[in-house]
Each structure stands twice: as structure tokens, then as C-alpha cells.
């Protein structure tokens, strides 16, 4: 029979303190996400504020990638210390900038100030707005205008009409008695609008509309009626053969020689298969580099981008209140003071870790910085972790969504890591370097006799890199290079 009893047992377990949890969270955030997180904390914690004066003396990265060190400008002696308009480098940099510090922007062939001034990004006209404007200038009945307007609203961003006419007709009330013949007439009017090819229902129709454009004479190939006739025949009946680059069947179907087929292909390539895309400007994607790499003497150095580092400090007024009075009198402020100190320390630790990891990467990838992708060496997270005495998971967090500005471009820190392939000498080559070599070989190949994957593998083997054909195919596909059959030219 079991009897109730008490037992005392000791054990050890790992518990994450709030400060450590916050440190891990901040480490895995991108720079933009970190800024959003800090902005939210600033609104909730009055003990925390931005320290703009900390920008003085830091390395600053400008939009063009150039770097300079910010300097403090001393205020005139007669300016009172409590003046409401202090003269500091921070204020000057934010409000005004001397003309001798401003880089001059020149455009070739123009000497006028209006032409050399940078243009501000203006709101671009959308495809639908462009087409509705043309419709408003066209003499049509109210009914026909409504039908064309309905077709315009059904276009996708490339200018194609992907919805069948019978489905569009069903969208109108039955009492209007809209039939497909009316919609076809409206579509014909729409297809006469600019840009040429808009309103097409497939690529073949889009290209056919452009080959009927009277302004096509601006292209030299279109002035030859034989080339124009051949191009129209390809677009109408043999576009699939052209896409597959089956030139033998094309020559047989069109009864033409290589010169005529080559000219027709050149003409078709000059057409726009997505006429509406020019009116749908994509949202600008940008990243803020966390570190900047520059050469100091003969050494590459990774330097923190000061513009990416939040400058924070504890609000001194609240801190003095807590210092002069008992902390128990303001328990809420005491807790927020501790949280502010944790955040400042963790933010600093985050960027210190990023800088250490970035410098370790730079020291191992100096060949890439000197010679490009072909000199990238194999690198794994564990190698950096062992060097810095950090956990591999920490290196993974640091290298995700953190970016490095180099003379060769801006790269995510993860870009510098990659698997390796054995070489004949017993060494290893980075997968990034192999991809760069494949790209070089393909760019230098003869267009009429492109290299197969087996030939690429053989050429890499001649350079001492042992790689299988299927591996070459995998790297080629990663580079978005078409297979040999689709790279062959006439």
C-alpha cells in the first residue's frame, strides 16, 4: 500500500533571463526590423531616448557608397550655452549642407542646371489610367465606351486580357443584352491604343499586333518585306518552334534560309512581349548595410555602418528622479530604467557581434574581395563559430538578413558561406566559385555550338575541379542558364 510522503530533490536547468531573451531576439532581427522594434519601445518607455549627438566622430556611409567621418563644429563663443539654435555638425547635417560638400551631378551633353539637378521620383501613370485617357479622347458612344472601359479593367499588369469574352459579357446585367460580338469590336478598339500589343489574349496575338504597327519601319529588319512576312508567319503558326529553337523544322516549314530566319528572329526579339509592364513600376527594394568593407593598407577591414546603429541613451531627467528618491517610490520607472539599460547594452552587443563575424568572414574571403566570385573559398558556419568562440546557431542568426557593402556590391553575410567540391590536388573549391566559372564558360561559348553539361564538367575537370555532370546541371539551373538546346543560335 502506497503512503504519501515528501521528498527533496535538487536539479539543474537552463533558464533564459529576460535580458538574454531580448539579446537573442535583437540578434536575429534585420536592421529595418530592429529600427521598428526600437521605435515601438521608445513609445512605450519614457526612460529611453535617442542620442543624436553620438553620431559625431563616427564613420558615415553616404548613398553613393562613399565614406567620411563626421566632425563636430564648435559653436561660436558668443552663442549662449542654452541657446535654442545650437550649431552642431548633427544639426547642420540634418538641416543644411555647404555647397562645397555637395557632389556635382552631371548628365552627358547638358550644361544647364535644370538638367543636372537630380530628378525627384514622380508618381507614374498606371496602364489603366493611360488607356482610359486615350478612351476619353476617342469619339465613341457611351455604350461602346463602357465596354472598352470594362475590358481595360480586366487587363493584367502586362497588358494582357486573360479573362474570356463570354465571362466578361456575363458580368453585365442581362437587360443590357451584351453579346460577344460587341465585346470583340470593343477589343479591336482597345488593341488600337498605345502601347501596341495591349489587349492581346496571348503572346502570339501580342506580337502579331506589334508586327502590324505602321511605326515598325523604324526597325531596319522590318523594312525588308521578306523578313516581315517570315516574322509574321513564325508568330502566327510557329512560335513554339522558335521557343524550342528548332531551327531545322522552322527552315523546312517556312522554306527559308538561315539568313532570312536569323533576321526574322532578330525582329521578333525586338518586340515587347509585355507591353503593359512599363506602366507598372515595381516597388523599390533596398537594404541597409550593417557593415562596410574597405581596404586599409593591404588589409580588408569590416567597419560598422554608423547610420545603421541606433543611438540610444537613458533619459537623464527621469534617471535623476530615481537616483534622488527611493526606487520603491517609483516601481514602474525603476523597471523601465532597467529595461532601457538592457536594451542599450543588447543593441551594442548585437552590433559588436556582427562586426566580429563580418571581420572573420572578410579575413577568410579576401580572395573574393580582390578577384571576385571565382576566388571564393569554401566556408561553413562552424569555422567562424570555432574562431570566435560562439555557438553555431549564433553565427546563423548573425548572418541572416545582415548585409555587407563591398567594392563588388552589397551581399548578405550568408552569401559568403557555401559547400565545397573536391579538387584533384586534394583541396576544395567553393560552390560559388564553380558557379562563377560555369557562367564564364557559358558566356565565352560559341553561340552556334553551345557547351553541354558534360562538356562543362570536362572543362572544369581540366582546371582541376572534379564535378559531376548532374552537379553542373544543378549549378547551371541555379544561375538560370537555359540548357544547351535553348542556347543554340542559328
Amino acid at each position: 500500500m502506497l503512503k504519501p510522503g515528501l521528498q527533496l530533490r535538487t536539479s539543474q536547468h537552463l533558464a533564459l533571463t529576460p535580458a538574454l531573451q531580448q539579446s537573442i531576439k535583437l540578434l536575429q532581427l534585420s536592421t529595418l526590423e530592429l529600427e521598428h522594434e526600437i521605435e515601438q519601445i521608445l513609445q512605450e518607455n519614457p526612460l529611453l531616448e535617442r542620442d543624436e549627438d553620438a553620431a559625431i566622430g563616427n564613420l558615415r556611409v553616404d548613398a553613393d557608397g562613399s565614406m567620411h567621418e563626421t566632425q563636430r563644429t564648435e559653436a561660436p563663443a558668443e552663442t549662449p550655452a542654452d541657446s535654442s539654435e545650437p550649431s552642431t555638425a548633427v544639426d547642420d547635417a540634418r538641416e543644411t549642407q555647404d555647397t562645397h560638400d555637395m557632389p556635382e551631378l552631371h548628365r552627358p551633353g547638358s550644361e544647364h542646371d535644370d538638367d543636372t539637378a537630380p530628378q525627384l521620383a514622380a508618381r507614374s501613370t498606371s496602364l489603366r489610367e493611360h488607356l482610359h485617357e486615350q478612351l476619353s479622347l476617342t469619339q465613341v458612344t457611351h455604350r461602346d465606351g463602357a465596354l472598352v472601359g470594362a475590358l481595360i479593367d480586366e487587363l493584367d499588369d502586362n497588358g494582357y486580357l486573360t479573362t474570356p469574352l463570354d465571362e466578361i459579357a456575363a458580368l453585365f446585367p442581362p437587360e443590357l443584352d451584351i453579346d460577344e460580338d460587341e465585346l470583340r469590336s470593343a477589343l479591336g478598339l482597345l488593341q488600337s491604343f498605345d502601347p501596341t500589343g495591349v489587349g492581346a489574349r496571348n503572346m502570339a496575338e501580342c506580337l502579331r499586333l506589334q508586327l502590324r504597327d505602321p511605326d515598325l519601319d523604324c526597325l531596319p529588319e522590318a523594312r525588308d518585306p521578306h523578313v516581315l512576312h517570315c516574322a509574321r508567319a513564325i508568330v502566327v503558326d510557329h512560335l513554339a518552334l522558335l521557343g524550342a529553337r528548332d531551327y531545322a523544322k522552322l527552315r523546312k516549314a517556312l522554306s527559308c534560309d538561315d539568313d532570312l530566319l536569323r533576321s526574322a528572329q532578330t525582329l521578333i526579339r525586338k518586340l515587347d512581349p509585355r507591353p503593359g509592364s512599363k506602366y507598372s513600376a515595381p516597388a523599390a527594394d533596398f537594404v541597409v548595410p550593417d557593415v562596410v568593407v574597405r581596404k586599409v593598407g593591404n588589409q580588408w577591414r569590416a567597419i560598422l555602418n554608423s547610420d545603421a546603429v541606433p543611438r540610444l541613451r537613458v533619459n537623464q531627467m527621469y534617471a535623476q528622479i530615481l537616483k534622488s528618491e527611493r526606487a520603491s517610490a517609483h516601481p514602474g520607472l525603476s523597471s523601465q530604467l532597467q529595461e532601457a539599460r538592457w536594451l542599450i547594452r543588447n543593441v551594442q552587443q548585437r552590433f559588436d557581434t556582427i562586426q566580429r563575424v563580418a571581420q572573420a568572414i572578410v579575413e577568410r574571403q579576401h580572395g573574393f574581395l580582390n578577384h571576385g566570385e571565382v576566388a571564393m573559398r569554401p566556408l561553413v558556419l562552424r569555422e567562424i563559430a570555432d574562431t570566435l568562440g560562439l555557438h553555431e546557431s549564433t553565427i546563423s542568426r548573425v548572418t541572416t538578413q545582415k548585409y555587407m557593402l563591398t567594392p563588388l556590391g552589397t551581399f548578405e553575410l550568408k552569401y559568403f558561406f557555401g559547400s565545397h567540391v573536391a579538387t584533384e590536388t586534394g583541396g576544395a573549391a567553393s560552390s560559388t566559385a564553380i558557379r562563377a566559372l560555369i557562367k564564364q564558360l557559358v558566356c565565352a561559348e560559341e553561340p552556334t555550338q553551345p557547351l553541354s553539361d558534360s562538356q562543362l564538367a570536362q572543362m572544369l575537370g581540366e582546371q582541376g575541379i572534379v564535378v559531376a555532370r548532374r552537379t553542373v546541371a544543378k549549378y547551371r539551373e541555379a544561375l538560370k542558364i537555359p540548357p544547351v538546346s535553348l542556347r543554340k543560335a542559328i
Side-chain angles (χ1 to χ4, degrees):
M1 183 175 180
L2 298 178
K3 295 182 180 180
L6 295 176
Q7 290 183 347
L8 184 61
R9 197 179 286 179
T10 61
S11 63
Q12 291 182 344
H13 66 278
L14 182 63
L16 295 179
T17 63
L20 184 56
Q21 292 177 2
Q22 184 186 68
S23 177
I24 295 174
K25 178 182 178 181
L26 297 181
L27 192 60
Q28 63 189 11
L29 295 179
S30 68
T31 299
L32 296 179
E33 292 171 341
L34 174 67
E35 185 64 28
H36 177 75
E37 180 76 12
I38 290 177
E39 191 62 36
Q40 184 175 356
I41 296 176
L42 284 169
Q43 297 176 5
E44 299 172 353
N45 191 344
L47 269 295
L48 188 68
E49 63 183 9
R50 294 192 182 273
D51 183 9
E52 299 296 346
D53 290 338
I56 304 303
N58 286 341
L59 184 70
R60 182 179 180 86
V61 183
D62 292 331
D64 60 357
S66 61
M67 294 174 287
H68 64 88
E69 188 173 344
T70 56
Q71 300 292 334
R72 182 182 297 277
T73 303
E74 296 296 335
E78 62 272 11
T79 302
D82 58 349
S83 172
S84 60
E85 298 181 1
S87 177
T88 66
V90 174
D91 295 327
D92 293 342
R94 294 184 179 276
E95 302 295 337
T96 60
Q97 188 169 8
D98 295 337
T99 56
H100 65 273
D101 289 332
M102 293 292 292
E104 295 184 4
L105 303 176
H106 297 283
R107 190 172 66 188
S110 176
E111 295 295 331
H112 300 287
D113 292 339
D114 292 342
D115 293 336
T116 58
Q119 300 296 314
L120 297 178
R123 177 184 176 272
S124 58
T125 302
S126 68
L127 175 64
R128 289 172 178 77
E129 291 172 340
H130 180 63
L131 295 173
H132 277 293
E133 182 178 356
Q134 296 177 71
L135 177 61
S136 65
L137 301 176
T138 305
Q139 297 294 330
V140 294
T141 65
H142 178 73
R143 182 182 177 92
D144 291 339
L147 294 180
V148 175
L151 295 177
I152 291 175
D153 293 338
E154 290 295 323
L155 298 178
D156 63 15
D157 291 339
N158 291 323
Y160 284 86
L161 182 66
T162 57
T163 308
L165 293 180
D166 59 343
E167 293 185 11
I168 297 177
L171 297 177
F172 290 92
E175 57 268 18
L176 294 179
D177 193 23
I178 303 297
D179 57 24
E180 291 188 35
D181 290 337
E182 280 187 292
L183 285 176
R184 288 192 188 94
S185 299
L187 180 60
L189 178 59
L190 173 60
Q191 291 178 347
S192 68
F193 289 174
D194 176 74
T196 306
V198 70
R201 286 160 287 186
N202 51 59
M203 184 178 295
E205 185 178 19
C206 178
L207 300 178
R208 179 174 58 81
L209 290 171
Q210 295 180 52
L211 288 173
R212 289 167 42 191
D213 186 5
D215 296 333
L216 198 65
D217 290 342
C218 63
L219 300 178
E221 295 82 6
R223 297 169 191 160
D224 188 332
H226 299 290
V227 174
L228 187 58
H229 176 76
C230 183
R232 287 172 176 170
I234 293 174
V235 166
V236 173
D237 298 318
H238 308 294
L239 197 59
L241 290 178
L242 180 65
R245 302 202 177 198
D246 195 340
Y247 301 119
K249 288 185 179 180
L250 275 175
R251 285 192 298 266
K252 182 177 179 180
L254 299 171
S255 300
C256 65
D257 56 16
D258 284 346
D259 292 336
L260 181 58
L261 183 57
R262 187 181 298 109
S263 299
Q265 183 188 34
T266 302
L267 175 59
I268 294 173
R269 282 181 172 177
K270 291 183 178 180
L271 304 179
D272 188 359
R274 294 181 292 273
S277 60
K278 66 182 74 173
Y279 295 94
S280 56
D285 294 330
F286 66 93
V287 296
V288 178
D290 298 88
V291 292
V292 180
V293 177
R294 65 173 180 175
K295 204 166 191 178
V296 180
N298 294 325
Q299 302 293 326
W300 289 99
R301 289 183 55 199
I303 304 171
L304 284 176
N305 176 12
S306 60
D307 283 354
V309 181
R311 305 170 186 101
L312 305 170
R313 67 183 177 189
V314 173
N315 185 290
Q316 294 301 312
M317 181 184 70
Y318 286 106
Q320 289 297 329
I321 293 176
L322 292 175
K323 185 177 180 180
S324 59
E325 300 183 16
R326 289 183 178 180
S328 58
H330 305 280
L333 289 180
S334 299
S335 175
Q336 290 178 322
L337 175 61
Q338 185 63 41
E339 292 173 359
R341 288 172 176 169
W342 282 346
L343 180 65
I344 294 173
R345 182 170 62 251
N346 288 333
V347 167
Q348 183 62 46
Q349 184 179 4
R350 173 188 186 273
F351 282 95
D352 288 345
T353 305
I354 292 176
Q355 195 277 332
R356 291 177 60 203
V357 172
Q359 183 60 40
I361 293 174
V362 166
E363 291 172 356
R364 284 156 180 77
Q365 299 294 7
H366 57 84
F368 165 82
L369 297 171
N370 290 325
H371 306 292
E373 289 182 328
V374 293
M376 184 80 81
R377 57 157 288 189
L379 185 63
V380 294
L381 297 177
R382 179 172 293 279
E383 182 176 345
I384 301 297
D386 293 341
T387 301
L388 301 179
L390 299 173
H391 196 274
E392 194 171 341
S393 62
T394 301
I395 305 300
S396 178
R397 293 188 183 95
V398 170
T399 56
T400 302
Q401 298 188 73
K402 315 299 186 302
Y403 294 88
M404 178 188 295
L405 175 62
T406 74
L408 301 178
T410 302
F411 303 93
E412 187 179 12
L413 295 186
K414 236 180 220 324
Y415 169 78
F416 297 94
F417 296 83
S419 58
H420 66 278
V421 174
T423 62
E424 287 185 349
T425 58
S430 168
S431 58
T432 302
I434 297 175
R435 285 195 294 267
L437 287 173
I438 292 174
K439 187 176 181 180
Q440 287 184 1
L441 292 173
V442 170
C443 291
E445 69 184 3
E446 181 64 34
T448 57
Q449 295 179 340
L451 300 171
S452 65
D453 293 339
S454 298
Q455 290 174 316
L456 290 171
Q458 182 180 356
M459 297 177 73
L460 291 173
E462 293 173 356
Q463 300 186 33
I465 301 175
V466 182
V467 58
R469 183 203 60 80
R470 61 180 179 275
T471 304
V472 171
K474 181 182 70 173
Y475 289 161
R476 175 182 52 75
E477 292 171 358
L479 292 169
K480 297 183 179 180
I481 298 176
V484 60
S485 61
L486 297 182
R487 301 202 310 273
K488 187 175 182 180
I490 304 173

